[in-house]
CSV table of all heavy atoms in Angstrom, one decimal:
chain,number,residue,atom,x,y,z
S,298,LEU,N,-26.5,3.5,-17.1
S,298,LEU,CA,-26.1,4.3,-15.9
S,298,LEU,C,-27.0,3.9,-14.7
S,298,LEU,O,-26.6,4.3,-13.6
S,298,LEU,CB,-26.2,5.8,-16.2
S,298,LEU,CG,-25.4,6.3,-17.4
S,298,LEU,CD1,-25.4,7.8,-17.5
S,298,LEU,CD2,-23.8,5.9,-17.1
S,299,GLU,N,-28.1,3.3,-14.8
S,299,GLU,CA,-28.8,3.0,-13.6
S,299,GLU,C,-28.7,1.6,-13.2
S,299,GLU,O,-29.3,0.7,-13.4
S,299,GLU,CB,-30.4,3.1,-14.0
S,299,GLU,CG,-30.7,4.6,-14.5
S,299,GLU,CD,-30.4,5.6,-13.5
S,299,GLU,OE1,-30.7,5.5,-12.4
S,299,GLU,OE2,-29.9,6.6,-14.0
S,303,VAL,N,-25.5,-5.4,-6.5
S,303,VAL,CA,-25.9,-6.8,-6.7
S,303,VAL,C,-25.5,-7.6,-5.4
S,303,VAL,O,-24.5,-7.5,-5.0
S,303,VAL,CB,-25.2,-7.4,-7.9
S,303,VAL,CG1,-25.6,-8.8,-8.2
S,303,VAL,CG2,-25.5,-6.5,-9.2
S,305,ASN,N,-26.2,-7.2,-2.4
S,305,ASN,CA,-26.3,-6.5,-1.1
S,305,ASN,C,-27.5,-5.6,-1.1
S,305,ASN,O,-28.0,-5.2,-2.2
S,305,ASN,CB,-25.1,-5.7,-0.9
S,305,ASN,CG,-23.8,-6.6,-0.9
S,305,ASN,OD1,-23.7,-7.5,-0.1
S,305,ASN,ND2,-22.7,-6.3,-1.6
S,306,ARG,N,-28.0,-5.4,0.1
S,306,ARG,CA,-29.3,-4.6,0.2
S,306,ARG,C,-29.0,-3.3,0.7
S,306,ARG,O,-28.0,-3.0,1.3
S,306,ARG,CB,-30.3,-5.3,0.9
S,306,ARG,CG,-30.8,-6.5,0.3
S,306,ARG,CD,-31.9,-7.2,1.0
S,306,ARG,NE,-31.4,-8.1,2.1
S,306,ARG,CZ,-32.2,-8.6,3.0
S,306,ARG,NH1,-33.6,-8.5,2.9
S,306,ARG,NH2,-31.8,-9.4,4.0
S,308,ASP,N,-30.9,0.5,2.4
S,308,ASP,CA,-31.9,0.9,3.3
S,308,ASP,C,-33.3,0.5,2.9
S,308,ASP,O,-34.2,0.1,3.6
S,308,ASP,CB,-31.8,2.3,3.7
S,308,ASP,CG,-30.7,2.6,4.6
S,308,ASP,OD1,-30.3,1.7,5.4
S,308,ASP,OD2,-30.2,3.7,4.6
S,312,TRP,N,-34.5,-4.5,6.6
S,312,TRP,CA,-35.4,-4.2,7.8
S,312,TRP,C,-36.9,-4.4,7.3
S,312,TRP,O,-37.7,-3.5,7.5
S,312,TRP,CB,-35.2,-2.9,8.4
S,312,TRP,CG,-33.7,-2.6,8.9
S,312,TRP,CD1,-32.9,-1.8,8.4
S,312,TRP,CD2,-33.1,-3.3,9.9
S,312,TRP,NE1,-31.7,-1.8,9.0
S,312,TRP,CE2,-31.8,-2.8,10.1
S,312,TRP,CE3,-33.4,-4.4,10.8
S,312,TRP,CZ2,-30.8,-3.2,11.0
S,312,TRP,CZ3,-32.5,-4.7,11.7
S,312,TRP,CH2,-31.2,-4.2,11.7
S,320,ASP,N,-31.0,-12.1,10.8
S,320,ASP,CA,-29.7,-11.9,10.2
S,320,ASP,C,-28.9,-10.9,11.0
S,320,ASP,O,-27.7,-11.0,11.2
S,320,ASP,CB,-29.9,-11.3,8.7
S,320,ASP,CG,-30.1,-12.4,7.7
S,320,ASP,OD1,-30.2,-13.6,8.2
S,320,ASP,OD2,-30.0,-12.2,6.5
S,355,SER,N,5.7,-8.9,21.8
S,355,SER,CA,6.1,-7.9,22.8
S,355,SER,C,5.0,-7.1,23.3
S,355,SER,O,5.1,-6.6,24.5
S,355,SER,CB,7.2,-7.0,22.2
S,355,SER,OG,6.7,-6.4,21.1
S,377,TYR,N,-12.1,-1.7,19.0
S,377,TYR,CA,-12.9,-1.4,17.8
S,377,TYR,C,-13.9,-2.6,17.5
S,377,TYR,O,-14.9,-2.3,17.0
S,377,TYR,CB,-12.2,-0.8,16.6
S,377,TYR,CG,-11.2,-1.7,15.9
S,377,TYR,CD1,-11.5,-3.0,15.5
S,377,TYR,CD2,-10.0,-1.2,15.6
S,377,TYR,CE1,-10.6,-3.7,14.7
S,377,TYR,CE2,-9.0,-1.9,14.8
S,377,TYR,CZ,-9.4,-3.2,14.4
S,377,TYR,OH,-8.4,-3.8,13.7
S,381,GLU,N,-17.9,-2.3,17.1
S,381,GLU,CA,-18.6,-2.9,16.0
S,381,GLU,C,-19.8,-3.6,16.5
S,381,GLU,O,-20.9,-3.5,16.0
S,381,GLU,CB,-17.6,-3.8,15.3
S,381,GLU,CG,-18.1,-4.3,13.9
S,381,GLU,CD,-18.2,-3.3,12.8
S,381,GLU,OE1,-17.3,-2.5,12.8
S,381,GLU,OE2,-19.2,-3.3,12.0
S,385,ARG,N,-23.7,-2.8,15.7
S,385,ARG,CA,-24.7,-3.7,15.1
S,385,ARG,C,-25.9,-3.7,16.1
S,385,ARG,O,-27.1,-3.8,15.7
S,385,ARG,CB,-24.2,-5.0,14.9
S,385,ARG,CG,-23.1,-4.9,13.8
S,385,ARG,CD,-22.4,-6.3,13.4
S,385,ARG,NE,-21.2,-6.0,12.7
S,385,ARG,CZ,-20.5,-6.9,12.3
S,385,ARG,NH1,-20.6,-8.2,12.5
S,385,ARG,NH2,-19.3,-6.7,11.5
S,445,TYR,N,-19.8,10.1,15.7
S,445,TYR,CA,-19.0,9.1,16.4
S,445,TYR,C,-17.8,9.7,17.2
S,445,TYR,O,-17.1,9.1,17.9
S,445,TYR,CB,-18.5,8.0,15.5
S,445,TYR,CG,-19.7,7.1,15.0
S,445,TYR,CD1,-20.3,7.4,13.8
S,445,TYR,CD2,-20.2,6.1,15.7
S,445,TYR,CE1,-21.3,6.7,13.3
S,445,TYR,CE2,-21.2,5.3,15.2
S,445,TYR,CZ,-21.8,5.6,14.0
S,445,TYR,OH,-22.9,4.9,13.5
S,477,GLN,N,-29.4,-22.5,21.7
S,477,GLN,CA,-28.0,-22.5,22.0
S,477,GLN,C,-27.2,-21.4,21.2
S,477,GLN,O,-27.4,-21.2,20.1
S,477,GLN,CB,-27.4,-23.9,21.7
S,477,GLN,CG,-27.9,-25.0,22.5
S,477,GLN,CD,-27.8,-26.3,21.9
S,477,GLN,OE1,-27.0,-26.5,20.9
S,477,GLN,NE2,-28.5,-27.3,22.4
S,545,MET,N,-19.4,-19.2,20.5
S,545,MET,CA,-19.7,-20.5,19.9
S,545,MET,C,-18.8,-20.7,18.7
S,545,MET,O,-18.4,-19.8,18.0
S,545,MET,CB,-21.2,-20.4,19.3
S,545,MET,CG,-22.2,-20.1,20.3
S,545,MET,SD,-22.2,-21.1,21.8
S,545,MET,CE,-22.8,-22.6,21.0
S,547,ASP,N,-17.2,-23.4,15.6
S,547,ASP,CA,-17.6,-24.4,14.6
S,547,ASP,C,-16.5,-24.9,13.8
S,547,ASP,O,-15.6,-24.1,13.5
S,547,ASP,CB,-18.6,-23.7,13.8
S,547,ASP,CG,-19.3,-24.5,12.8
S,547,ASP,OD1,-18.7,-24.9,11.8
S,547,ASP,OD2,-20.5,-25.0,13.0
S,549,THR,N,-16.2,-25.6,11.0
S,549,THR,CA,-16.2,-25.1,9.6
S,549,THR,C,-15.6,-23.6,9.5
S,549,THR,O,-15.5,-23.1,8.4
S,549,THR,CB,-17.6,-25.0,8.9
S,549,THR,OG1,-18.4,-24.0,9.7
S,549,THR,CG2,-18.2,-26.4,8.9
S,550,TRP,N,-15.3,-23.1,10.6
S,550,TRP,CA,-14.7,-21.7,10.5
S,550,TRP,C,-13.2,-21.9,10.7
S,550,TRP,O,-12.7,-22.6,11.5
S,550,TRP,CB,-15.2,-20.9,11.8
S,550,TRP,CG,-16.7,-20.6,11.6
S,550,TRP,CD1,-17.5,-20.6,10.5
S,550,TRP,CD2,-17.5,-20.4,12.7
S,550,TRP,NE1,-18.7,-20.4,10.8
S,550,TRP,CE2,-18.9,-20.2,12.1
S,550,TRP,CE3,-17.4,-20.2,14.0
S,550,TRP,CZ2,-19.9,-19.9,12.9
S,550,TRP,CZ3,-18.5,-19.9,14.8
S,550,TRP,CH2,-19.8,-19.8,14.3
S,558,LYS,N,-7.1,-22.4,21.0
S,558,LYS,CA,-5.9,-22.9,20.3
S,558,LYS,C,-4.6,-22.0,20.7
S,558,LYS,O,-3.5,-22.3,20.5
S,558,LYS,CB,-6.0,-22.8,18.8
S,558,LYS,CG,-5.1,-23.8,18.1
S,558,LYS,CD,-5.4,-23.9,16.6
S,558,LYS,CE,-4.1,-24.2,16.0
S,558,LYS,NZ,-4.1,-25.4,15.3
S,563,ARG,N,3.3,-25.7,22.2
S,563,ARG,CA,3.5,-25.6,20.8
S,563,ARG,C,3.6,-27.0,20.1
S,563,ARG,O,2.9,-27.3,19.0
S,563,ARG,CB,4.6,-24.7,20.5
S,563,ARG,CG,4.8,-24.2,19.1
S,563,ARG,CD,6.1,-23.3,19.1
S,563,ARG,NE,5.7,-22.0,19.3
S,563,ARG,CZ,5.9,-21.0,18.5
S,563,ARG,NH1,6.5,-21.2,17.3
S,563,ARG,NH2,5.6,-19.7,18.8
S,564,PRO,N,4.5,-27.9,20.6
S,564,PRO,CA,4.6,-29.1,20.1
S,564,PRO,C,3.3,-29.9,20.0
S,564,PRO,O,3.2,-30.8,19.2
S,564,PRO,CB,5.7,-29.8,20.8
S,564,PRO,CG,6.4,-28.8,21.5
S,564,PRO,CD,5.4,-27.7,21.7
S,570,PHE,N,0.8,-19.5,24.1
S,570,PHE,CA,0.7,-18.3,24.9
S,570,PHE,C,0.1,-18.7,26.3
S,570,PHE,O,-0.5,-19.7,26.5
S,570,PHE,CB,-0.3,-17.3,24.3
S,570,PHE,CG,0.1,-16.7,23.0
S,570,PHE,CD1,-0.3,-17.2,21.8
S,570,PHE,CD2,1.1,-15.7,23.0
S,570,PHE,CE1,0.2,-16.6,20.6
S,570,PHE,CE2,1.5,-15.1,21.8
S,570,PHE,CZ,1.1,-15.6,20.6
S,630,GLU,N,-6.5,-35.5,16.1
S,630,GLU,CA,-6.6,-34.2,15.7
S,630,GLU,C,-7.2,-33.3,16.8
S,630,GLU,O,-8.2,-33.6,17.5
S,630,GLU,CB,-7.6,-34.0,14.4
S,630,GLU,CG,-7.5,-32.6,13.9
S,630,GLU,CD,-8.5,-32.4,12.7
S,630,GLU,OE1,-8.8,-33.4,12.1
S,630,GLU,OE2,-8.8,-31.2,12.5
S,748,ASP,N,-7.5,6.2,18.1
S,748,ASP,CA,-8.8,6.9,18.2
S,748,ASP,C,-8.5,8.3,18.8
S,748,ASP,O,-9.4,9.2,18.6
S,748,ASP,CB,-9.7,6.1,19.0
S,748,ASP,CG,-11.1,6.1,18.2
S,748,ASP,OD1,-11.1,6.3,17.1
S,748,ASP,OD2,-12.1,5.8,19.0
S,750,ASP,N,-5.9,10.1,18.2
S,750,ASP,CA,-5.5,10.9,17.1
S,750,ASP,C,-6.7,11.3,16.1
S,750,ASP,O,-6.8,12.4,15.8
S,750,ASP,CB,-4.5,10.2,16.2
S,750,ASP,CG,-3.1,10.0,17.1
S,750,ASP,OD1,-3.0,10.7,18.1
S,750,ASP,OD2,-2.3,9.1,16.7
S,751,ASN,N,-7.5,10.2,15.9
S,751,ASN,CA,-8.6,10.5,14.9
S,751,ASN,C,-9.7,11.4,15.6
S,751,ASN,O,-10.3,12.1,14.8
S,751,ASN,CB,-9.3,9.2,14.6
S,751,ASN,CG,-8.3,8.2,13.9
S,751,ASN,OD1,-7.4,8.7,13.3
S,751,ASN,ND2,-8.7,7.0,13.8
W,716,LYS,N,10.0,-25.8,16.1
W,716,LYS,CA,8.8,-25.9,16.9
W,716,LYS,C,9.0,-25.9,18.4
W,716,LYS,O,8.3,-25.5,19.2
W,716,LYS,CB,8.0,-27.0,16.5
W,716,LYS,CG,6.7,-27.2,17.2
W,716,LYS,CD,5.8,-28.3,16.5
W,716,LYS,CE,4.5,-28.3,17.3
W,716,LYS,NZ,3.4,-29.0,16.5
W,719,ASP,N,9.4,-21.1,21.1
W,719,ASP,CA,9.0,-19.9,20.3
W,719,ASP,C,10.1,-18.9,20.2
W,719,ASP,O,9.9,-17.9,19.5
W,719,ASP,CB,7.7,-19.4,21.0
W,719,ASP,CG,7.9,-19.0,22.5
W,719,ASP,OD1,9.1,-18.6,22.8
W,719,ASP,OD2,7.0,-18.9,23.2
W,783,SER,N,6.1,-25.3,13.1
W,783,SER,CA,5.8,-24.2,14.3
W,783,SER,C,4.4,-24.5,14.7
W,783,SER,O,3.9,-25.5,14.7
W,783,SER,CB,6.2,-22.8,13.7
W,783,SER,OG,6.0,-21.9,14.7
W,784,ARG,N,3.7,-23.4,15.0
W,784,ARG,CA,2.3,-23.6,15.3
W,784,ARG,C,1.6,-24.2,14.1
W,784,ARG,O,1.8,-23.9,13.1
W,784,ARG,CB,1.7,-22.2,15.5
W,784,ARG,CG,2.2,-21.4,16.6
W,784,ARG,CD,1.7,-20.0,16.6
W,784,ARG,NE,2.4,-19.3,17.7
W,784,ARG,CZ,2.3,-18.0,17.8
W,784,ARG,NH1,1.5,-17.3,16.9
W,784,ARG,NH2,2.9,-17.4,18.7
W,785,SER,N,0.8,-25.2,14.4
W,785,SER,CA,0.2,-26.1,13.3
W,785,SER,C,-1.1,-25.4,12.9
W,785,SER,O,-1.8,-25.0,13.6
W,785,SER,CB,0.2,-27.5,13.8
W,785,SER,OG,-0.7,-27.6,14.8
W,788,SER,N,-6.1,-28.4,10.3
W,788,SER,CA,-6.5,-29.4,9.3
W,788,SER,C,-5.9,-28.9,8.0
W,788,SER,O,-5.8,-27.8,7.8
W,788,SER,CB,-8.0,-29.5,9.2
W,788,SER,OG,-8.6,-29.5,10.5
W,856,VAL,N,-15.2,-30.7,5.4
W,856,VAL,CA,-16.1,-29.5,5.5
W,856,VAL,C,-15.8,-28.6,4.4
W,856,VAL,O,-14.6,-28.4,4.0
W,856,VAL,CB,-15.9,-28.7,6.8
W,856,VAL,CG1,-16.8,-27.4,6.8
W,856,VAL,CG2,-16.3,-29.6,8.0
W,858,ASN,N,-16.7,-24.9,2.8
W,858,ASN,CA,-17.3,-23.6,3.0
W,858,ASN,C,-17.2,-22.8,1.6
W,858,ASN,O,-16.3,-22.9,1.0
W,858,ASN,CB,-16.7,-22.6,4.0
W,858,ASN,CG,-16.8,-23.2,5.4
W,858,ASN,OD1,-17.9,-23.8,5.7
W,858,ASN,ND2,-15.9,-23.0,6.2
W,865,ASP,N,-20.9,-5.7,-8.6
W,865,ASP,CA,-21.9,-4.6,-9.1
W,865,ASP,C,-21.4,-4.3,-10.6
W,865,ASP,O,-20.3,-4.1,-10.9
W,865,ASP,CB,-21.7,-3.3,-8.2
W,865,ASP,CG,-22.2,-3.6,-6.8
W,865,ASP,OD1,-23.2,-4.4,-6.7
W,865,ASP,OD2,-21.6,-3.0,-5.9
W,894,GLY,N,-20.8,9.8,-18.2
W,894,GLY,CA,-21.8,9.4,-17.3
W,894,GLY,C,-21.4,8.1,-16.6
W,894,GLY,O,-21.0,7.2,-17.4
W,900,GLU,N,-27.5,9.8,-8.6
W,900,GLU,CA,-28.3,10.7,-9.7
W,900,GLU,C,-27.9,12.1,-9.4
W,900,GLU,O,-27.8,12.5,-8.2
W,900,GLU,CB,-29.8,10.5,-9.5
W,900,GLU,CG,-30.7,10.8,-10.7
W,900,GLU,CD,-30.2,10.0,-11.9
W,900,GLU,OE1,-30.3,8.7,-11.8
W,900,GLU,OE2,-29.9,10.6,-12.9
W,952,ASN,N,-26.4,3.3,1.9
W,952,ASN,CA,-26.0,2.4,2.9
W,952,ASN,C,-26.2,1.0,2.4
W,952,ASN,O,-27.2,0.7,1.8
W,952,ASN,CB,-27.2,2.6,4.1
W,952,ASN,CG,-26.8,3.6,5.1
W,952,ASN,OD1,-25.6,3.7,5.4
W,952,ASN,ND2,-27.8,4.2,5.6
W,954,TYR,N,-26.1,-3.1,3.1
W,954,TYR,CA,-26.0,-4.2,4.1
W,954,TYR,C,-25.4,-5.5,3.4
W,954,TYR,O,-25.8,-5.8,2.3
W,954,TYR,CB,-27.5,-4.6,4.6
W,954,TYR,CG,-28.0,-3.4,5.5
W,954,TYR,CD1,-28.7,-2.3,4.9
W,954,TYR,CD2,-27.8,-3.4,6.8
W,954,TYR,CE1,-29.2,-1.2,5.7
W,954,TYR,CE2,-28.3,-2.5,7.6
W,954,TYR,CZ,-29.0,-1.3,7.0
W,954,TYR,OH,-29.5,-0.3,7.7
W,955,ARG,N,-24.5,-6.1,4.1
W,955,ARG,CA,-23.9,-7.2,3.5
W,955,ARG,C,-24.2,-8.4,4.5
W,955,ARG,O,-24.1,-8.3,5.7
W,955,ARG,CB,-22.3,-7.0,3.5
W,955,ARG,CG,-21.9,-6.0,2.7
W,955,ARG,CD,-20.4,-5.9,2.5
W,955,ARG,NE,-20.0,-4.6,1.9
W,955,ARG,CZ,-20.1,-4.5,0.4
W,955,ARG,NH1,-20.5,-5.5,-0.3
W,955,ARG,NH2,-19.8,-3.4,-0.1
W,956,LYS,N,-24.5,-9.5,3.8
W,956,LYS,CA,-24.8,-10.8,4.5
W,956,LYS,C,-23.6,-11.6,4.4
W,956,LYS,O,-23.4,-12.4,3.5
W,956,LYS,CB,-26.0,-11.4,3.8
W,956,LYS,CG,-26.6,-12.6,4.7
W,956,LYS,CD,-27.8,-13.1,4.0
W,956,LYS,CE,-28.3,-14.4,4.4
W,956,LYS,NZ,-28.9,-14.4,5.7
W,960,TYR,N,-22.1,-17.2,12.3
W,960,TYR,CA,-22.1,-17.6,13.6
W,960,TYR,C,-22.9,-18.9,13.8
W,960,TYR,O,-23.6,-19.4,12.9
W,960,TYR,CB,-22.8,-16.5,14.5
W,960,TYR,CG,-22.3,-16.6,15.9
W,960,TYR,CD1,-21.0,-16.5,16.3
W,960,TYR,CD2,-23.2,-16.8,17.0
W,960,TYR,CE1,-20.6,-16.6,17.5
W,960,TYR,CE2,-22.9,-16.9,18.2
W,960,TYR,CZ,-21.5,-16.8,18.6
W,960,TYR,OH,-21.0,-16.9,19.9
W,961,LEU,N,-22.7,-19.5,15.0
W,961,LEU,CA,-23.4,-20.8,15.2
W,961,LEU,C,-24.6,-20.6,16.2
W,961,LEU,O,-24.3,-20.2,17.3
W,961,LEU,CB,-22.4,-21.7,15.8
W,961,LEU,CG,-22.7,-23.1,15.8
W,961,LEU,CD1,-22.5,-23.8,14.4
W,961,LEU,CD2,-21.9,-24.0,16.9
W,963,ASN,N,-27.9,-22.4,17.7
W,963,ASN,CA,-28.6,-23.7,17.9
W,963,ASN,C,-27.9,-24.9,17.0
W,963,ASN,O,-28.6,-25.7,16.5
W,963,ASN,CB,-30.1,-23.6,17.4
W,963,ASN,CG,-31.0,-24.2,18.4
W,963,ASN,OD1,-30.6,-24.4,19.6
W,963,ASN,ND2,-32.2,-24.6,18.0
W,970,SER,N,-26.1,-10.6,8.8
W,970,SER,CA,-25.9,-9.4,8.1
W,970,SER,C,-25.4,-8.3,8.9
W,970,SER,O,-25.5,-8.4,10.1
W,970,SER,CB,-27.2,-9.0,7.5
W,970,SER,OG,-27.7,-9.9,6.4
W,1020,VAL,N,-11.7,10.2,8.4
W,1020,VAL,CA,-11.2,9.7,9.6
W,1020,VAL,C,-12.2,8.7,10.2
W,1020,VAL,O,-13.4,8.8,10.1
W,1020,VAL,CB,-10.9,10.8,10.6
W,1020,VAL,CG1,-12.2,11.5,11.1
W,1020,VAL,CG2,-10.1,10.2,11.8
W,1021,ARG,N,-11.7,7.5,10.6
W,1021,ARG,CA,-12.6,6.6,11.2
W,1021,ARG,C,-12.4,6.8,12.7
W,1021,ARG,O,-11.3,6.5,13.2
W,1021,ARG,CB,-12.2,5.2,10.8
W,1021,ARG,CG,-13.0,4.0,11.6
W,1021,ARG,CD,-12.5,2.7,11.3
W,1021,ARG,NE,-12.9,2.4,9.9
W,1021,ARG,CZ,-14.1,1.9,9.5
W,1021,ARG,NH1,-15.0,1.7,10.4
W,1021,ARG,NH2,-14.2,1.5,8.2
W,1023,PHE,N,-12.9,4.9,15.8
W,1023,PHE,CA,-13.1,3.6,16.0
W,1023,PHE,C,-14.3,3.3,16.8
W,1023,PHE,O,-14.8,2.1,17.0
W,1023,PHE,CB,-11.9,2.9,16.5
W,1023,PHE,CG,-10.9,2.7,15.5
W,1023,PHE,CD1,-9.7,3.6,15.6
W,1023,PHE,CD2,-11.0,1.9,14.5
W,1023,PHE,CE1,-8.8,3.4,14.5
W,1023,PHE,CE2,-10.0,1.7,13.5
W,1023,PHE,CZ,-8.9,2.5,13.5
W,1024,THR,N,-14.9,4.3,17.4
W,1024,THR,CA,-16.1,4.1,18.1
W,1024,THR,C,-17.2,3.8,17.1
W,1024,THR,O,-18.4,3.4,17.5
W,1024,THR,CB,-16.5,5.5,18.8
W,1024,THR,OG1,-16.3,6.6,17.9
W,1024,THR,CG2,-15.7,5.7,20.0
W,1027,ASN,N,-14.9,-1.1,13.1
W,1027,ASN,CA,-13.8,-1.1,12.2
W,1027,ASN,C,-14.3,-1.8,10.9
W,1027,ASN,O,-13.4,-1.9,10.0
W,1027,ASN,CB,-12.6,-1.9,12.8
W,1027,ASN,CG,-11.4,-1.7,11.9
W,1027,ASN,OD1,-11.1,-0.7,11.5
W,1027,ASN,ND2,-10.8,-2.8,11.6
W,1028,GLU,N,-15.5,-2.3,10.8
W,1028,GLU,CA,-15.8,-3.1,9.7
W,1028,GLU,C,-16.7,-2.4,8.7
W,1028,GLU,O,-16.7,-2.7,7.5
W,1028,GLU,CB,-16.4,-4.4,10.1
W,1028,GLU,CG,-15.4,-5.3,10.8
W,1028,GLU,CD,-16.0,-6.7,11.0
W,1028,GLU,OE1,-16.6,-7.3,10.1
W,1028,GLU,OE2,-15.7,-7.3,12.1
W,1081,TYR,N,-4.0,12.9,9.2
W,1081,TYR,CA,-3.0,12.3,8.3
W,1081,TYR,C,-3.6,10.9,8.0
W,1081,TYR,O,-4.5,10.4,8.6
W,1081,TYR,CB,-1.6,12.1,8.9
W,1081,TYR,CG,-1.6,11.5,10.3
W,1081,TYR,CD1,-1.9,10.2,10.5
W,1081,TYR,CD2,-1.7,12.3,11.4
W,1081,TYR,CE1,-1.9,9.6,11.8
W,1081,TYR,CE2,-1.7,11.8,12.7
W,1081,TYR,CZ,-1.8,10.5,12.9
W,1081,TYR,OH,-1.9,9.9,14.1
W,1227,GLU,N,12.4,-4.0,25.8
W,1227,GLU,CA,12.4,-2.9,24.9
W,1227,GLU,C,11.7,-1.7,25.5
W,1227,GLU,O,10.8,-1.1,24.8
W,1227,GLU,CB,11.7,-3.4,23.5
W,1227,GLU,CG,10.4,-4.1,23.7
W,1227,GLU,CD,9.8,-4.4,22.3
W,1227,GLU,OE1,10.6,-4.4,21.3
W,1227,GLU,OE2,8.7,-4.7,22.2
Side-chain angles (χ1 to χ4, degrees):
Chain S
L298 298 185
E299 303 303 316
V303 182
N305 297 309
R306 288 187 280 174
D308 278 335
W312 304 115
D320 272 8
S355 59
Y377 64 53
E381 187 72 35
R385 293 183 196 175
Y445 294 94
Q477 292 156 16
M545 305 304 287
D547 185 283
T549 64
W550 296 334
K558 209 172 147 117
R563 195 179 269 241
F570 292 101
E630 186 184 339
D748 229 18
D750 294 344
N751 295 344
Chain W
K716 181 166 184 167
D719 58 27
S783 185
R784 296 172 187 173
S785 61
S788 317
V856 174
N858 290 326
D865 296 324
E900 205 57 56
N952 270 329
Y954 293 87
R955 298 187 189 281
K956 188 173 165 78
Y960 202 60
L961 194 77
N963 226 18
S970 291
V1020 64
R1021 173 185 291 279
F1023 287 109
T1024 44
N1027 189 47
E1028 291 188 39
Y1081 52 79
E1227 49 179 19

